[in-house]
Amino acid sequence: MKKIFLALAAFAFTAMPMAAQTLSVKVGGVTYQYPAQKVEDMNYSDGNKLSIMDRIFLTNDINGMNVDTQNLFNHDNTVNVSYESGDAAIYILTEQSIDNNLNLESESNQPLFTSSLGGVRLNFQMSGITKVELESVDNNPLAGNHDQSIITLEASEGETFVPGKDYFIATFPCDVYGGYRLSIYKGRDVAPYFGVHQVINAGEFITPSDLVEDDLVFADIDAPFVEDERPALDAATKQMLVAYQKNPTDENKQVLMNQMGVKYDKVVARKKAKLRQLEREAKTPDLVTEMQAIVDEMVDNRDTRLEQQFWRLVDPRVDDNPNDQWLVLRGSSAKNAYIAYAPVTNKEYAAYNPAFTYPQGQDKYPVVNVSYDESVAYCDWMSSMNAQHAYRLPSEEEWILAAGHMPKDVKMNSDYVEKGLTAVDAYAETTGACGGIDFWGNSWEWTSTQNAAGQYIVKGGSWDSSRDACRSEYSDDARDASGRYANVGFRVVRVDR
């Protein structure tokens, strides 16, 4: 063994010009590469150790040595390590193979893994998996020369991952607390998984914390992705919700909130992944700007939205009359608050104000050109006719509670999809969290919440608004109380007296 190493070293220094040569030492799937002019003498000790530039290898661990006269990085191996000007420079392949064993247990590789590498450990029970793609949705570097955020681990052509076997994706140490995506492939079919609240430390391999293979949904890679408008609660969240309802302690609330936080952050991770995709593929910057605004809002308002979701979930009320237009406003702190199924229509407003006129055939269109003060007067008129209930405009928070998060692919009258207003039930297949309709698009709706300038915030967007402006959380549009606007109407809240 000693003669082979010495002969190889001599070849490295005499056979070709120094600048073009690299000495490669392979241990499992890890290749250490040294510029020939930096190697100098290779030293041996105890007859079974090789020292190159202060890196010690056990000769029994070494799978091969050669002189590479082409590139500094040989992309046939999983992880490549080189030394430049005496400092360690690590290059991690963005395309890794299950055929290359990282050989984590070898003593020769331990210094590298404990100081410079981490990754993800995968073990699937299902059969047929051909590839897994890992992405840091926050664009943190995972591979390459500290500049790539996506890595693939792939089986050889015609092969698949072996069920029950550990596989490793090598990465740089990386904070993926804010989210990472695994795209799990079976040929042309792919299923996404989003992980959160994990960190890849040097010398450690994380495992997806809550990946349930039975929950993975596979679809053709070219199929359009459509998110569920309002996904059902998972079993774990239901269990924690029941525990809180039976025993509403601060401790049980926190357990439930933590679980809801994980689910919320997975949704944020999904949005971040979409943002990264748009940054790579979008033909116009507007799409990137819109998605960035969505992500920023979700991150900035995380605590508020979780609190709203919590109170909506634990509200015990049921609809006392499913045949009327009033829906439980879940999560509202107001006394037994209900919200109207739809915005006030032309016909309904004309019943209050006989002098109000509108085009024939538009009875069910939302009433517009009604000022904030006039909408309040309409509510007062309704209150005067009912001894049990009072009527008013919703606050911005109540409006968001009623609408819930706007589904990604919701059908609505916005962004000039129609030539103007439509009937309030024209898009009735899309409902808000409370079960009401026409929350997004068609016409803005007055709320009783003022901005810093004293104007009243309007919600939901209109037929001539961008889809981004229709989002429930969008709060950048407000109007003067005395103004009448051709695209602003209102919806009513009912409370017990």
Side-chain angles (χ1 to χ4, degrees):
M1 181 68 76
K2 181 176 181 181
K3 291 182 180 179
I4 294 175
F5 286 146
L6 289 174
L8 185 57
F11 177 76
F13 287 110
T14 61
M16 295 185 179
M18 295 298 176
Q21 297 176 27
T22 303
L23 176 65
S24 298
V25 182
K26 183 176 180 182
V27 181
V30 179
T31 298
Y32 300 78
Q33 296 187 321
Y34 303 90
Q37 66 269 30
K38 297 288 184 179
V39 171
E40 299 177 353
D41 293 331
M42 294 190 295
N43 302 313
Y44 303 87
S45 62
D46 301 329
N48 63 356
K49 292 183 180 180
L50 169 66
S51 176
I52 306 176
M53 293 182 64
D54 298 324
R55 177 71 68 175
I56 297 175
F57 299 92
L58 295 183
T59 54
N60 289 337
D61 285 343
I62 296 174
N63 298 104
M65 294 180 66
N66 70 286
V67 175
D68 178 10
T69 61
Q70 302 299 318
N71 300 313
L72 182 61
F73 299 126
N74 180 351
H75 288 194
D76 291 335
N77 299 298
T78 303
V79 182
N80 297 322
V81 180
S82 69
Y83 286 78
E84 301 170 352
S85 303
D87 297 325
I90 301 174
Y91 179 91
I92 297 179
L93 288 184
T94 56
E95 297 180 4
Q96 301 176 17
S97 170
I98 65 172
D99 295 331
N100 287 325
N101 180 8
L102 290 178
N103 203 356
L104 302 179
E105 290 77 21
S106 73
E107 186 174 335
S108 295
N109 282 344
Q110 284 305 304
L112 171 67
F113 287 108
T114 56
S115 63
S116 304
L117 297 179
V120 179
R121 181 193 303 264
L122 301 171
N123 189 312
F124 296 103
Q125 300 305 307
M126 69 173 64
S127 59
I129 295 175
T130 54
K131 181 173 73 171
V132 177
E133 185 177 80
L134 168 69
E135 177 182 15
S136 165
V137 297
D138 283 317
N139 214 27
N140 292 327
L142 296 174
N145 270 331
H146 290 82
D147 59 359
Q148 300 294 316
S149 61
I150 298 178
I151 302 176
T152 59
L153 178 66
E154 192 166 7
S156 300
E157 186 174 356
E159 301 293 327
T160 62
F161 287 52
V162 176
K165 181 178 179 180
D166 282 343
Y167 293 99
F168 301 89
I169 301 178
T171 73
F172 292 119
C174 178
D175 183 351
V176 287
Y177 188 91
Y180 64 92
R181 173 186 58 84
L182 291 177
S183 296
I184 303 163
Y185 287 80
K186 288 185 173 182
R188 286 188 54 83
D189 291 340
V190 61
Y193 162 83
F194 289 90
V196 293
H197 302 175
Q198 292 183 277
V199 177
I200 300 174
N201 293 311
E204 296 180 1
F205 285 81
I206 66 171
T207 57
S209 59
D210 57 358
L211 193 159
V212 179
E213 294 184 25
D214 289 343
D215 292 342
L216 294 175
V217 178
F218 286 86
D220 187 89
I221 55 177
D222 294 328
F225 175 72
V226 180
E227 292 177 299
D228 290 338
E229 290 194 7
R230 213 154 282 113
L233 296 180
D234 64 345
T237 307
K238 286 181 179 179
Q239 183 178 4
M240 295 171 191
L241 174 60
V242 170
Y244 175 81
Q245 290 171 329
K246 290 181 177 179
N247 187 17
T249 64
D250 290 341
E251 181 180 358
N252 282 342
K253 177 184 177 181
Q254 192 58 54
V255 170
L256 176 57
M257 289 287 286
N258 290 343
Q259 174 70 7
M260 290 166 52
V262 169
K263 297 303 179 183
Y264 181 91
D265 292 337
K266 283 177 175 286
V267 175
V268 175
R270 186 184 293 270
K271 301 295 184 185
K272 290 178 180 177
K274 181 63 176 180
L275 174 60
R276 303 283 87 84
Q277 180 184 354
L278 290 173
E279 288 173 341
R280 296 188 297 268
E281 301 175 2
K283 296 180 180 179
T284 63
D286 294 348
L287 295 175
V288 177
T289 301
E290 180 177 322
M291 183 56 69
Q292 184 68 66
I294 292 173
V295 169
D296 290 345
E297 184 280 322
M298 292 186 73
V299 172
D300 293 344
N301 295 327
R302 177 182 186 273
D303 293 345
T304 298
R305 289 180 62 174
L306 282 175
E307 192 72 17
Q308 290 172 343
Q309 184 181 355
F310 170 80
W311 290 115
R312 189 188 290 123
L313 275 178
V314 301
D315 193 326
R317 292 179 297 157
V318 295
D319 194 349
D320 58 1
N321 183 359
N323 297 318
D324 67 11
Q325 67 165 326
W326 300 104
L327 304 166
V328 176
L329 185 48
R330 296 194 177 280
S332 173
S333 59
K335 186 179 179 181
N336 212 18
Y338 287 72
I339 194 163
Y341 175 70
V344 175
T345 64
N346 286 327
K347 183 178 181 179
E348 290 169 333
Y349 191 77
Y352 152 70
N353 181 6
F356 175 75
T357 60
Y358 56 90
Q360 186 177 2
Q362 295 188 7
D363 286 356
K364 297 176 71 174
Y365 279 46
V367 64
V368 293
N369 287 312
V370 174
S371 71
Y372 176 87
D373 294 332
E374 288 169 333
S375 65
V376 170
Y378 175 87
C379 294
D380 292 343
W381 169 73
M382 290 187 67
S383 299
S384 67
M385 298 185 296
N386 192 314
Q388 292 180 309
H389 303 120
Y391 299 85
R392 58 173 173 78
L393 295 177
S395 67
E396 181 186 22
E397 181 180 18
E398 288 175 327
W399 192 97
I400 294 174
L401 283 170
H405 182 63
M406 186 183 86
K408 173 179 177 289
D409 295 313
V410 61
K411 294 180 180 180
M412 60 183 176
N413 179 15
S414 70
D415 207 16
Y416 297 90
V417 69
E418 306 276 3
K419 295 181 179 179
L421 295 171
T422 58
V424 296
D425 60 356
Y427 292 85
E429 71 274 14
T430 301
T431 60
C434 68
I437 61 173
D438 210 35
F439 279 102
W440 306 290
N442 210 16
S443 68
W444 294 93
E445 298 180 21
W446 287 110
T447 75
S448 61
T449 301
Q450 292 178 284
N451 65 9
Q455 296 178 311
Y456 287 90
I457 294 173
V458 292
K459 303 292 293 184
S462 61
W463 68 273
D464 54 355
S465 301
S466 68
R467 289 180 66 90
D468 179 59
C470 297
R471 290 185 297 111
S472 301
E473 299 77 22
Y474 186 88
S475 299
D476 295 344
D477 205 316
R479 310 293 173 91
D480 293 328
S482 59
R484 295 190 179 108
Y485 305 94
N487 62 356
V488 179
F490 65 102
R491 188 185 305 254
V492 177
V493 166
R494 186 194 79 185
V495 294
D496 289 347
R497 288 188 184 275

